[in-house]
């Protein structure tokens, strides 16, 4: 057995690589990809000034001008036909090329009962009591917990906290039902939407994929209609929640007047690791119980009551690279025990994927002043071969709120440094990690709920959700607030205790 790392060792050994400095290598092809997405809506950009010019010209006409024009057209059939045909053509082209707006009516996050709370001391006591971990690996878990950024109020399922633990299919289904149905029940209560109104259902859970599927469990429990479009996404990691949102968005483009229900969760019960491979023990220390449900709509009548409108989704997949593909893997250890292995290259791979994603997203969201500065330095470095200091755009000019997947403290630290974010911007992510732990794909919604509970979300604000997961993938979603969210009217998992936050989270919290 290898010797445990020293108390000053980083979280994942023996990697010495952190997130790459985004200033060092901006790839032009990803910038071009962002502009490609922008130009796909070029027809709207083209028609808008044309229609504006026509309206401006018509506004200058007097009643006599309109009368003279009518007299000229009355006896000129060709002009009437041509003008009418052009007007019909442009109008039809505009409406056909304009994507349907996607509204986020509301969302909910599941908050387990207090009996499921797992203070760090209890976590260590249960780990020692199992008798399956070596003394060195007990110490390894203790050091991770001290530096994890997790507090003493995170949740674990009953089957894991029980003495002895009882990881079985029945308990895993019980956990899935508690989390999914708890979040969906609250969502239906908040929105007033009936289960029969849901036309699209997307459920994502990476590691637990029973038969019948989780999506089938939702259909059965709520008696959804027989023609519901049901999808179950598995094995797609912590960024699968945004993949689900993107899939729902695509479906809402072709199914008018529909509601889409997106459910994001992860299952702990059957994925607790009882072996001694340290690359697999890290997930025991970070992942916790949680889930979220989101209601999306393409009905224009829902705009007034919706919280947000989906502006952009950008997906980045690095799976063609073998190193990226294998950095997070579910496999058996040398003793045949199944766990999720985290590679030494995880931080570097995550950084590359993040850099690609934000470079693609930049042209879609950054103000023109930032884009000009960025392109000026890019042209100087790439084309003119000048030694110009790279310019990293200020994403704080594009977004008011940042929801960065609470995967771990190390990644949050590096993103704060590379994107030059303030403690205020990082607060929702850090407090979510502290209060709820890493709840996988649902963590982004706990973070947005935190911003709402603090009364920070104002009409017109833009929120950026960004997450990464196995494969390796990095995905983004950009939302625009359609109304000011008033905490007094909200029901979310933070409301009963929001006055206690933020809290100071020391870099090392001794156990």
């Amino acid at each position: 057995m290898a010797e445990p790392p020293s108390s000053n060792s980083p979280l994942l050994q023996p990697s010495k690589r952190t997130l790459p400095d985004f200033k060092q290598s901006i790839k032009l092809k990803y910038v071009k990809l962002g502009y490609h997405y922008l130009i796909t809506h070029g027809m709207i950009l083209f028609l808008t000034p044309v229609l504006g010019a026509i309206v401006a010209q018509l506004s200058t006409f007097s009643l006599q001008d309109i009368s003279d024009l009518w007299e000229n057209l009355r006896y000129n059939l060709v002009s009437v036909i041509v003008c009418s045909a052009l007007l019909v053509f442009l109008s039809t082209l505009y409406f056909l090329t304009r994507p349907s707006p996607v509204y986020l009516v509301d969302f909910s996050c599941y908050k387990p009962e207090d009996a499921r709370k797992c203070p760090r001391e209890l976590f260590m006591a249960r780990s020692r009591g199992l008798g399956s971990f070596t003394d060195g690996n007990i110490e390894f878990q203790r050091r991770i917990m001290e530096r994890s950024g997790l507090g003493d109020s995170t949740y674990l399922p009953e089957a894991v906290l029980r003495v002895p633990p009882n990881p079985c299919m029945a308990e895993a289904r019980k956990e899935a039902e508690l989390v999914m149905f708890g979040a969906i029940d609250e969502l239906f209560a908040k929105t007033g939407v009936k289960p029969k109104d849901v036309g699209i259902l997307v459920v994502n859970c990476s590691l637990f994929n029973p038969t019948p599927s989780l999506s089938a469990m939702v259909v059965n429990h709520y008696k959804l209609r027989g023609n519901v479009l049901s999808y179950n996404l598995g094995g797609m990691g912590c960024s699968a929640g945004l993949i689900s949102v993107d899939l729902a968005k695509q479906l809402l483009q072709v199914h008018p007047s529909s509601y889409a229900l997106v459910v994001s969760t992860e299952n702990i019960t059957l994925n607790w690791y009882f072996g001694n491979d340290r690359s697999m023990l890290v997930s025991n220390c970070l992942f916790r119980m949680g889930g979220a449900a989101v209601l999306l709509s393409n009905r224009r009548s829902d705009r007034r009551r919706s919280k947000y409108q989906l502006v952009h989704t950008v997906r980045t997949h690095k799976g063609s690279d073998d190193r990226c593909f294998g950095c997070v893997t579910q496999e058996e250890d040398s003793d045949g025990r199944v766990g999720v292995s985290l590679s030494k290259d995880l931080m570097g791979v995550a950084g590359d994927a993040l850099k690609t994603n934000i470079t693609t997203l930049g042209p879609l969201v950054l103000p023109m002043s930032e884009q000009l500065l960025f392109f000026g330095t890019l042209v100087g470095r790439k084309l003119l071969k000048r030694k110009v200091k790279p310019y990293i755009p200020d994403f704080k000019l594009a977004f008011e709120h940042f929801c960065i997947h609470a995967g771990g403290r190390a990644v949050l630290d590096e993103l704060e440094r590379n994107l030059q974010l303030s403690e205020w911007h990082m607060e929702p992510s850090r407090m979510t990690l502290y209060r709820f732990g890493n709840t996988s794909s649902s963590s982004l919604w706990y973070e947005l709920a935190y911003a709402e509970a603090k009364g920070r979300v104002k009409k017109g604000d833009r929120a950026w959700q960004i997450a990464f997961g196995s494969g390796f993938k990095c995905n983004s979603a950009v939302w625009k607030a359609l109304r000011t969210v008033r905490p007094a009217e909200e029901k979310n998992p933070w409301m009963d205790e929001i006055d206690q936050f933020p809290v100071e989270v020391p870099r090392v919290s001794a156990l």
Side-chain angles (χ1 to χ4, degrees):
M1 180 66 64
E3 290 295 318
S6 68
S7 61
N8 296 321
S9 299
L11 185 61
L12 294 176
Q13 284 288 331
S15 175
K16 297 180 180 180
R17 185 175 180 183
T18 59
L19 289 179
D21 190 340
F22 296 161
K23 295 182 179 180
Q24 300 305 316
S25 56
I26 299 296
K27 294 184 179 180
L28 186 59
K29 66 178 181 178
Y30 298 123
V31 180
K32 291 167 61 179
L33 181 59
Y35 276 96
H36 169 72
Y37 291 156
L38 185 64
I39 296 304
T40 55
H41 302 298
M43 183 58 65
I44 296 176
L45 298 177
F46 170 75
L47 289 179
T48 300
V50 172
L51 293 174
I54 294 174
V55 172
Q57 183 63 35
L58 290 176
S59 67
T60 64
F61 280 21
S62 65
L63 290 176
Q64 184 60 45
D65 292 331
I66 296 174
S67 177
D68 293 342
L69 180 61
W70 172 248
E71 288 298 325
N72 290 329
L73 291 177
R74 283 178 63 186
Y75 304 105
N76 193 335
L77 183 60
V78 175
S79 298
V80 173
I81 294 175
V82 170
C83 290
S84 301
L86 181 61
L87 183 62
V88 171
F89 172 75
L90 292 177
S91 300
T92 303
L93 197 60
Y94 172 75
F95 284 107
L96 288 178
T97 57
R98 184 182 62 170
S100 299
V102 175
Y103 304 116
L104 191 160
V105 181
D106 213 330
F107 67 95
S108 62
C109 302
Y110 177 66
K111 186 175 184 179
E113 57 185 6
D114 288 345
R116 302 281 74 79
K117 281 187 178 180
C118 181
R120 296 178 305 148
E121 287 285 1
L122 178 61
F123 172 86
M124 293 306 305
R126 291 291 188 268
S127 294
R128 295 188 194 96
L130 283 174
S132 61
F133 301 125
T134 64
D135 291 341
N137 280 334
I138 291 291
E139 177 65 14
F140 175 72
Q141 292 179 76
R142 182 187 65 80
R143 287 198 302 272
I144 291 178
M145 291 300 299
E146 290 178 339
R147 294 161 176 78
S148 65
L150 272 68
D152 286 322
S153 297
T154 60
Y155 302 94
L156 282 174
E158 179 183 359
V160 173
L161 291 176
R162 184 180 300 168
V163 181
N166 182 31
C168 63
M169 182 64 75
E171 289 293 332
R173 284 183 178 274
K174 180 180 177 181
E175 178 194 348
E177 291 172 353
L178 278 173
V179 174
M180 293 194 305
F181 300 163
I184 296 172
D185 285 346
E186 181 178 304
L187 180 62
F188 283 153
K190 290 167 71 173
T191 61
V193 171
K194 299 177 181 178
K196 292 291 185 182
D197 295 332
V198 174
I200 299 167
L201 171 66
V202 185
V203 179
N204 70 269
C205 181
S206 187
L207 296 176
F208 181 55
N209 292 284
T211 299
S213 66
L214 297 177
S215 60
M217 290 167 60
V218 174
V219 172
N220 175 261
H221 181 79
Y222 292 98
K223 308 305 177 188
L224 301 187
R225 65 197 198 204
N227 64 344
V228 64
L229 300 176
S230 173
Y231 298 85
N232 196 94
L233 307 183
M236 304 194 79
C238 298
S239 67
L242 296 185
I243 296 176
S244 297
V245 168
D246 182 66
L247 174 58
K249 180 191 78 171
Q250 302 298 334
L251 291 167
L252 287 170
Q253 296 304 310
V254 294
H255 295 279
S257 191
S258 297
Y259 284 114
L261 174 62
V262 174
V263 183
S264 298
T265 186
E266 191 53 80
N267 194 278
I268 305 296
T269 299
L270 278 184
N271 296 287
W272 201 254
Y273 178 62
F274 295 95
N276 282 283
D277 187 324
R278 292 190 178 179
S279 69
M280 298 181 179
L281 279 172
V282 175
S283 60
N284 280 13
C285 300
L286 298 180
F287 282 88
R288 293 296 183 265
M289 187 178 180
V294 182
L295 186 67
L296 303 176
S297 171
N298 59 8
R299 303 182 182 191
R300 295 187 182 276
S301 59
D302 280 325
R303 178 184 176 88
R304 178 172 295 182
R305 72 183 186 120
S306 296
K307 283 185 173 180
Y308 305 92
Q309 181 172 346
L310 182 59
V311 183
H312 299 292
T313 53
V314 174
R315 294 171 56 178
T316 302
H317 206 306
K318 310 289 283 188
S320 59
D321 184 295
D322 290 343
R323 176 171 147 271
C324 297
F325 175 76
C327 68
V328 180
T329 309
Q330 186 180 27
E331 59 187 7
E332 295 174 330
D333 65 11
S334 57
D335 297 321
R337 289 171 169 159
V338 177
V340 177
S341 174
L342 306 181
S343 164
K344 299 179 295 183
D345 297 324
L346 177 59
M347 290 288 286
V349 167
D352 289 337
L354 284 165
K355 180 174 62 178
T356 300
N357 191 275
I358 66 173
T359 305
T360 304
L361 181 68
L364 301 175
V365 298
L366 289 169
M368 187 57 66
S369 59
E370 289 296 294
Q371 296 197 44
L372 290 175
L373 288 170
F374 173 75
F375 267 99
T377 57
L378 189 65
V379 169
R381 296 179 66 241
K382 298 291 185 179
L383 300 181
L384 303 180
K385 305 299 182 183
R386 300 296 181 91
K387 292 183 178 179
V388 182
K389 183 179 180 181
Y391 179 76
I392 298 301
D394 185 359
F395 280 90
K396 296 189 293 296
L397 297 176
F399 306 108
E400 286 74 31
H401 308 285
F402 294 79
C403 298
I404 301 168
H405 168 53
R409 185 171 194 163
V411 173
L412 295 181
D413 289 345
E414 289 297 322
L415 275 173
E416 179 180 3
R417 180 179 65 84
N418 273 290
L419 295 179
Q420 300 176 3
L421 301 178
S422 67
E423 291 183 4
W424 187 89
H425 291 112
M426 297 298 298
E427 187 180 308
S429 298
R430 293 194 185 281
M431 293 304 99
T432 294
L433 181 64
Y434 177 84
R435 177 61 181 85
F436 293 97
N438 181 350
T439 60
S440 190
S441 57
S442 65
S443 68
L444 300 174
W445 300 107
Y446 287 90
E447 294 164 16
L448 189 56
Y450 180 90
E452 291 184 352
K454 279 292 184 181
R456 297 180 177 180
V457 179
K458 311 298 182 184
K459 183 177 180 179
D461 282 1
R462 296 151 298 178
W464 179 18
Q465 293 180 318
I466 186 165
F468 45 88
S470 58
F472 194 86
K473 299 176 286 293
C474 178
N475 302 310
S476 289
V478 177
W479 304 90
K480 181 179 179 180
L482 297 177
R483 58 182 172 89
T484 297
V485 179
R486 306 186 187 282
E489 301 171 0
E490 284 302 302
K491 181 180 180 182
N492 75 40
W494 295 95
M495 293 310 303
D496 295 339
E497 51 190 288
I498 191 61
D499 292 338
Q500 303 172 24
F501 294 93
V503 299
E504 183 66 29
V505 183
R507 302 213 53 92
V508 179
S509 181
L511 278 171

